Amino acid sequence: MDSGGVMLNLKRNLLSVALASATMTLAMGAHAQTAPAPQQQDQENADEARQLDTVVVTGIRAGIENAIETKQSSTSIVEAISAEDIGKLPDLSIAESIARLPGLTAQRVAGRASTIQIRGLADDFGTTLLNGREQVSVGHNRGVEFDQYPSEVMSAVVVYKTPDASLIGQGLSGTVDLQTVRPLSFPDRVIAFNVRGERNSLGELNPESDDTGYRVSGTYIDQFLDDTLGVAIGYARLDSPGQANRWEAWGYPQTPSGAWLLGGSKSQVSSVDNVRDGLMAAIEWKPNEQHHSIVDLYYSRFEKTETLRFLEVGLGWSGATLSNAVVEDGGVVGGRFTGVRPVLRNDRNTQDDKLFAIGWNHRFTPNADWTLIGDLSFSKAEREEMLLETYAGLGHVSDPGATDTVDFVIDRSTGKPHLTFGRSYTDPATIVLTDPGGWGQDGFVKFPSVEDRLYSARVSAERNFETGMFSSVEFGLNHANREKTRASGLEAFLRLRDGQEVPIPAGFLRDPVDLGYTGIPGSITYDVMGVFRSMYDLDELVHPDVRNKNWTVEEKVTTAYMQWNINTDMGTVPLRGNIGVQVVRTDQSSQGYLVPFSDADTPVRISGGRTDTEILPSLNLAWSLPADQMLRFGLGLQIAKPRMDQMRANQNVSINAANLWEGNGGNPELEPWKATAVDLSYEKYFGGRGYVSLAAFHKDLHTWIKEDTVFRDYTGYDPRGRTPASPIGTFTTPVNKEGGKLYGFEVAVSVPFDLMWEPLEGFGLIASYTNTHSAVRPDGPDGAVEPLPGLSREVSNLTFYYENHGFSARVSQRKRSSFMGEVTGFGADRSRRWIRGEEIVDFQMGYAFGDDTALRGMSVLLQINNLTNEPYREYFPEFSNLPRFYSEYGRQVLLGVSYKF
């Protein structure tokens, strides 16, 4: 019997039982509560109304109920998160909170939830707004890295799953709107502070690293001039340690007998110092009922410094000799390699991200019929990086004595090897700075950067109607100008100044790192930056690949829209919703370099682009059925702009051996991804405190973007003295191709248990399950199915909570099946990787002191993130049982105190 399969089914069944039991029991409880006679019900309604005047729900339950209210009152299909209190969203990060919503998932980057996928589509297909305005990003494309936004300065998040004509900048998969506080929505002054200490369970893996950190935040909200002027300021600082034990495989070549064999190994320890400062400010002015103005500002700076040390060794893909091979299940799971040349890496990676956004919105309501709105905004993102590699070993590759013998055994449960070397790699007397692997360099360094700017201006109006099926009509115009630039910066080989083998100066030596999780007792460690500055010269790399990393993409997007808002009755059934259309005109262009015949010394500046107009109709309907039931329907045409690195104007061209032109590069004339989306959702609410929902979704993807080889006319290109057979040649580039289908269903439930049995007051459950399928065939109906980045077939979330008498506790699990993700790969470019499914469990408990105590306004909180130390695992699709990358990040334990007055 396959015990792993049994456990998988058991875990899946546990969630199914939780969902089904909660739904049935809640429905029964609700039926029992709605059974009284009309006279009794009237009395209960009156009692409930009096109770609502006196009972104020706070904490976990307040956040849940506010989110439910947002979901229920929306005319679109949305999911929502609301802060439990000032400066207190329910998780350590925005991404972790969003990933608990039905149909949404997070991809971990260096152990931290960073990017978000909506209903199986990667972050490229969605957009992120801040207070309703599209945001720029520090990455190479459009996807926002959510760890740039401190959860402490956010008040709510709304995720739109269906299109809405009045929503500017919406995505194809969905739209995430991050929201900060509005000071005039508070009746009184609020001052809140939060302090938490943090520790990583793996300890200090590198000698210069720290396993402890902290988080501090403060918020000030006040009202002036008879509550017509409001001010809000929030600040959050994070100093968080990241530690990781990692192992990576080069790949798995085959032996002459056909058995797989480990091609090479990297045993790594990583320590990251994450320091982020975030600032939010808002000034809100409402002098009368006619004028309402608000200016909001956001700024963050996130500095990451990673120290990475590891032992890398070629095995099957090297000149080493294999002996004593042990073969099981078609693979070599043990043996000895003789003649290996380990490379001892001491690397340093830094990242400095800055994000700034400011916006002004003014609403003028001259009378009850009209509302006029103007909005101006600007946002800017910058990223500067350094990626530094330095190498050491037993000696230069030319030294025949600089080799070793290694015995290895593969752990069949994880795929990691246990390596036993014959020589020590912690002794500075036998280790030198050199090129031990024969890579033609003593190290490497690069300094890439990204800058992204977005200006936007919007005017709109709304005309209200007192009668008829339409409550109002909205119309408006938005113009946005976005420019993103990627620069490769300097890329250079490191050359040792004093020969090909240089001893490590004693003043730079540090305590060795422990690589025992793969059997290696230690690896030599030294001050990376000290060695870099004092012992190497730089030899600049001039190469076509470097030139291809320099590009600018500019988009001028004008959006006109009109939307009729529906508020009427269909017989006895109230109906709300909207019907509208957007007309989106995009003028896109790109500047880059043409590198002819691999001559990177004389690149030619080139540009290209196109103009496109899309008409995007949308419809949202919400029927309010008896007994607090709701049926929703959404229909619309959606688009997502192409990835910016695919739109670059860069080209590499040459004439091949057949005397024909050939080339490759980006495509600034790409059209957007397009889809027709249909959504249906049934929701049952229980007094605004709980709900059950069942939703189905279907997207007909009309187009898909994929790299392909096409014919191109090279007339006008300089053949450099050669005479090609024809001006027509081939060019490999991203192109628009046929699409396919994406469809699935979601079920979600939020249950406060006292609805079923009063003694369970304070206990509750939140759970969801999403099942998504795709069939995208870019090469036509008979072509192969293209896997979608970010698509997990199954996604589930489960949270049990308790909150009563000041005590609170919560345990949450988010789970997703295996998927194809995109990570930063070699050369700081995006690389597709197959990532194994994972289950992340988080826990928190706390106590809030009562209003009748001397510590009124104070609360204490203990949080444990990644409670089970769930590893992050990548695998090769052709060897689904063999790992490509395996990393353990440890548990994050936080203990802190909050105070509000």
Side-chain angles (χ1 to χ4, degrees):
M1 176 180 292
D2 182 358
S3 60
V6 172
M7 287 302 297
L8 177 63
N9 290 332
L10 176 60
K11 292 176 181 177
R12 186 180 302 168
N13 290 338
L14 284 175
L15 177 63
S16 302
V17 170
L19 287 168
S21 299
T23 303
M24 294 176 62
T25 312
L26 185 59
M28 293 172 62
H31 177 75
Q33 291 176 0
T34 54
Q39 296 86 348
Q40 180 183 353
Q41 184 64 49
D42 291 341
Q43 181 62 44
E44 289 178 356
N45 289 339
D47 292 341
E48 182 177 274
R50 284 191 292 270
Q51 290 174 5
L52 289 174
D53 290 335
T54 59
V55 176
V56 178
V57 180
T58 61
I60 295 174
R61 289 187 288 173
I64 294 171
E65 291 180 16
N66 289 338
I68 290 174
E69 180 182 5
T70 299
K71 180 179 179 68
Q72 186 176 11
S73 62
S74 176
T75 55
S76 303
I77 298 177
V78 305
E79 307 294 344
I81 305 165
S82 181
E84 299 168 5
D85 208 337
I86 299 300
K88 188 182 177 185
L89 277 173
D91 289 284
L92 296 181
S93 73
I94 286 284
E96 289 167 354
S97 294
I98 296 174
R100 300 197 193 285
L101 296 174
L104 280 78
T105 53
Q107 182 175 323
R108 288 195 290 173
V109 177
R112 308 171 70 89
S114 180
T115 59
I116 294 294
Q117 296 92 38
I118 303 175
R119 286 177 166 175
L121 289 170
D123 52 345
D124 289 326
F125 294 89
T127 56
T128 300
L129 314 178
L130 179 62
N131 295 320
R133 306 180 184 100
E134 186 176 359
Q135 291 299 287
V136 291
S137 65
V138 294
H140 298 163
N141 289 284
R142 305 178 190 276
V144 164
E145 297 177 10
F146 284 90
D147 52 7
Q148 303 289 332
Y149 298 88
S151 59
E152 294 91 340
V153 301
M154 297 296 159
S155 64
V157 180
V158 178
V159 180
Y160 294 85
K161 292 181 173 179
T162 56
D164 186 304
S166 64
L167 189 64
I168 302 298
Q170 56 192 326
L172 186 149
S173 61
T175 306
V176 179
D177 187 12
L178 309 177
Q179 300 175 0
T180 58
V181 298
R182 293 294 178 253
L184 290 184
S185 64
F186 291 80
D188 301 299
R189 174 192 301 159
V190 177
I191 301 176
F193 297 98
N194 183 293
V195 179
R196 282 175 285 177
E198 178 179 347
R199 186 178 185 277
N200 188 285
S201 65
L202 293 182
E204 300 173 358
L205 297 184
N206 278 281
E208 310 96 328
S209 68
D210 201 341
D211 61 350
T212 60
Y214 64 90
R215 299 170 183 234
V216 295
S217 64
T219 303
Y220 170 77
I221 303 172
D222 208 347
Q223 304 79 33
F224 306 92
L225 303 178
D226 295 327
D227 292 338
T228 62
L229 179 68
V231 176
I233 301 174
Y235 170 76
R237 179 176 176 85
L238 173 146
D239 188 335
S240 176
Q243 305 286 344
N245 286 317
R246 300 176 181 171
W247 175 78
E248 186 173 359
W250 287 10
Y252 297 91
Q254 288 186 322
T255 65
S257 64
W260 57 259
L261 175 66
L262 181 59
S265 169
K266 297 180 183 180
S267 300
Q268 313 171 358
V269 290
S270 167
S271 300
V272 184
D273 186 18
N274 300 287
V275 179
R276 182 190 62 206
D277 292 287
L279 176 67
M280 174 278 301
I283 300 175
E284 188 175 11
W285 181 58
K286 190 176 182 182
N288 49 50
E289 293 301 318
Q290 286 75 43
H291 293 275
H292 186 188
S293 193
I294 185 164
V295 176
D296 52 71
L297 176 147
Y298 175 78
Y299 172 82
S300 76
R301 182 174 185 178
F302 203 162
E303 296 175 279
K304 302 178 185 178
T305 303
E306 178 186 31
T307 301
L308 184 62
R309 294 188 169 98
F310 55 101
L311 186 152
E312 181 172 6
V313 60
L315 299 173
W317 276 325
S318 74
T321 302
L322 174 66
S323 61
N324 303 327
V326 179
V327 179
E328 293 180 5
D329 299 328
V332 179
V333 299
R336 169 175 289 188
F337 279 100
T338 303
V340 297
R341 295 180 177 273
V343 179
L344 310 182
R345 296 272 296 268
N346 281 247
D347 296 359
R348 175 66 65 91
N349 303 320
T350 64
Q351 195 175 90
D352 187 359
D353 297 340
K354 298 176 184 177
L355 188 62
F356 174 78
I358 187 170
W360 171 65
N361 180 279
H362 187 81
R363 179 183 296 264
F364 174 54
T365 308
N367 52 52
D369 296 331
W370 283 95
T371 299
L372 309 176
I373 301 172
D375 190 280
L376 298 174
S377 65
F378 168 73
S379 62
K380 177 182 177 180
E382 296 177 307
R383 166 170 287 175
E384 296 181 354
E385 296 180 85
M386 181 191 72
L387 307 172
L388 172 63
E389 305 173 3
T390 67
Y391 314 143
L394 298 170
H396 191 263
V397 66
S398 61
D399 182 357
T403 62
D404 197 2
T405 298
V406 59
D407 295 320
F408 70 97
V409 177
I410 303 294
D411 183 338
R412 302 310 305 276
S413 62
T414 64
K416 293 188 302 179
H418 185 280
L419 303 171
T420 304
F421 287 91
R423 301 176 67 170
S424 170
Y425 292 96
T426 61
D427 185 1
T430 61
I431 304 298
V432 293
L433 298 173
T434 187
D435 176 16
W439 297 345
Q441 62 203 52
D442 301 317
F444 197 80
V445 68
K446 61 186 71 175
F447 297 91
S449 64
V450 172
E451 182 176 304
D452 197 356
R453 295 170 178 259
L454 175 62
Y455 300 86
S456 182
R458 176 177 178 175
V459 291
S460 61
E462 182 174 11
R463 171 69 162 90
N464 297 312
F465 305 112
E466 294 184 1
T467 60
M469 67 175 294
F470 297 108
S471 60
S472 67
V473 59
E474 302 176 52
F475 52 92
L477 186 70
N478 186 89
H479 180 76
N481 190 333
R482 182 174 188 175
E483 182 178 283
K484 193 178 194 96
T485 299
R486 182 190 180 190
S488 63
L490 173 67
E491 296 197 15
F493 301 109
L494 304 189
R495 308 294 186 193
L496 285 163
R497 296 173 183 169
D498 300 323
Q500 64 183 17
E501 293 184 355
V502 180
I504 303 170
F508 291 139
L509 288 171
R510 301 291 182 265
D511 292 334
V513 294
D514 182 3
L515 304 178
Y517 65 97
T518 56
I520 305 171
S523 181
I524 201 162
T525 296
Y526 49 83
D527 179 353
V528 184
M529 294 306 297
V531 167
F532 169 61
R533 293 189 182 106
S534 63
M535 305 189 71
Y536 295 96
D537 291 323
L538 301 184
D539 179 10
E540 183 177 359
L541 172 63
V542 180
H543 193 275
D545 289 345
V546 178
R547 300 301 185 196
N548 287 336
K549 298 172 187 175
N550 294 270
W551 48 260
T552 297
V553 171
E554 183 178 10
E555 294 173 331
K556 298 177 181 179
V557 182
T558 302
T559 304
Y561 75 92
M562 177 172 285
Q563 177 173 289
W564 295 82
N565 297 312
I566 301 169
N567 191 355
T568 187
D569 294 324
M570 290 185 62
T572 60
V573 178
L575 172 65
R576 295 180 298 119
N578 56 69
I579 182 171
V581 63
Q582 285 188 354
V583 180
V584 182
R585 179 177 175 82
T586 303
D587 182 359
Q588 65 189 45
S589 61
S590 174
Q591 295 80 42
Y593 288 99
L594 165 66
V595 179
F597 298 89
S598 300
D599 185 3
D601 289 316
T602 58
V604 180
R605 190 77 171 174
I606 59 174
S607 62
R610 71 184 299 271
T611 300
D612 173 77
T613 301
E614 301 288 346
I615 299 176
L616 309 175
S618 62
L619 171 69
N620 288 283
L621 299 175
W623 290 271
S624 298
L625 305 176
D628 243 357
Q629 300 177 91
M630 186 165 289
L631 183 65
R632 300 181 187 271
F633 175 76
L635 175 65
L637 184 62
Q638 302 171 303
I639 61 171
K641 298 183 182 68
R643 282 173 37 173
M644 287 185 163
D645 61 350
Q646 294 179 326
M647 296 170 62
R648 59 187 172 87
N650 302 63
Q651 297 180 15
N652 299 303
V653 300
S654 62
I655 298 175
N656 60 26
N659 206 32
L660 295 173
W661 284 101
E662 65 179 7
N664 62 76
N667 185 355
E669 298 181 8
L670 278 174
E671 298 178 16
W673 283 293
K674 302 175 188 177
T676 298
V678 181
D679 290 82
L680 184 66
S681 177
Y682 166 78
E683 301 159 9
K684 164 64 178 172
Y685 292 90
F686 301 94
R689 300 180 56 218
Y691 78 95
V692 176
S693 69
L694 178 63
F697 56 91
H698 183 283
K699 291 186 185 295
D700 186 1
L701 299 164
H702 306 306
T703 63
W704 192 254
I705 297 174
K706 181 183 178 182
E707 189 171 272
D708 201 357
T709 299
V710 297
F711 290 107
R712 168 171 287 195
D713 187 349
Y714 285 87
T715 300
Y717 285 74
D718 182 4
R720 295 212 169 180
R722 299 182 60 176
T723 305
S726 169
I728 306 300
T730 58
F731 193 78
T732 302
T733 185
V735 295
N736 293 100
K737 308 196 76 174
E738 295 188 40
K741 293 177 171 42
L742 176 76
Y743 57 95
F745 70 89
E746 299 167 351
V747 57
V749 59
S750 179
V751 184
F753 288 165
D754 62 297
L755 288 180
M756 301 176 283
W757 190 33
E758 190 172 346
L760 293 178
E761 181 181 0
F763 290 95
L765 164 74
I766 304 172
S768 67
Y769 172 79
T770 303
N771 192 292
T772 307
H773 298 255
S774 71
V776 175
R777 301 178 186 272
D779 297 317
D782 299 326
V785 174
E786 178 89 1
L788 301 189
L791 173 60
S792 288
R793 172 78 174 271
E794 294 181 301
V795 175
S796 63
N797 290 281
L798 187 62
T799 297
F800 288 98
Y801 66 87
Y802 171 78
E803 184 179 53
N804 209 358
H805 305 298
F807 293 96
S808 63
R810 172 170 44 206
V811 59
S812 301
Q813 178 201 68
R814 65 178 193 269
K815 178 181 177 181
R816 66 183 305 181
S817 58
S818 297
F819 65 103
M820 184 182 70
E822 293 185 318
V823 302
T824 300
F826 180 77
D829 291 320
R830 299 218 318 188
S831 175
R832 289 188 172 184
R833 300 287 182 89
W834 288 92
I835 302 173
R836 211 170 279 287
E838 59 186 13
E839 300 177 23
I840 309 296
V841 179
D842 301 322
F843 170 78
Q844 74 174 50
M845 63 182 300
Y847 181 76
F849 293 92
D851 291 343
D852 56 348
T853 68
L855 298 177
R856 172 185 178 180
M858 181 178 291
S859 61
V860 293
L861 184 67
L862 170 68
Q863 295 173 285
I864 305 177
N865 202 34
N866 193 19
L867 181 65
T868 59
N869 192 19
E870 179 75 358
Y872 170 87
R873 298 169 294 171
E874 298 174 1
Y875 64 95
F876 290 96
E878 63 270 32
F879 298 107
S880 59
N881 62 329
L882 297 175
R884 177 173 185 165
F885 186 87
Y886 186 99
S887 183
E888 292 182 354
Y889 298 107
R891 303 171 186 85
Q892 285 178 285
V893 182
L894 295 96
L895 179 63
V897 59
S898 299
Y899 185 61
K900 183 180 74 170
F901 60 94

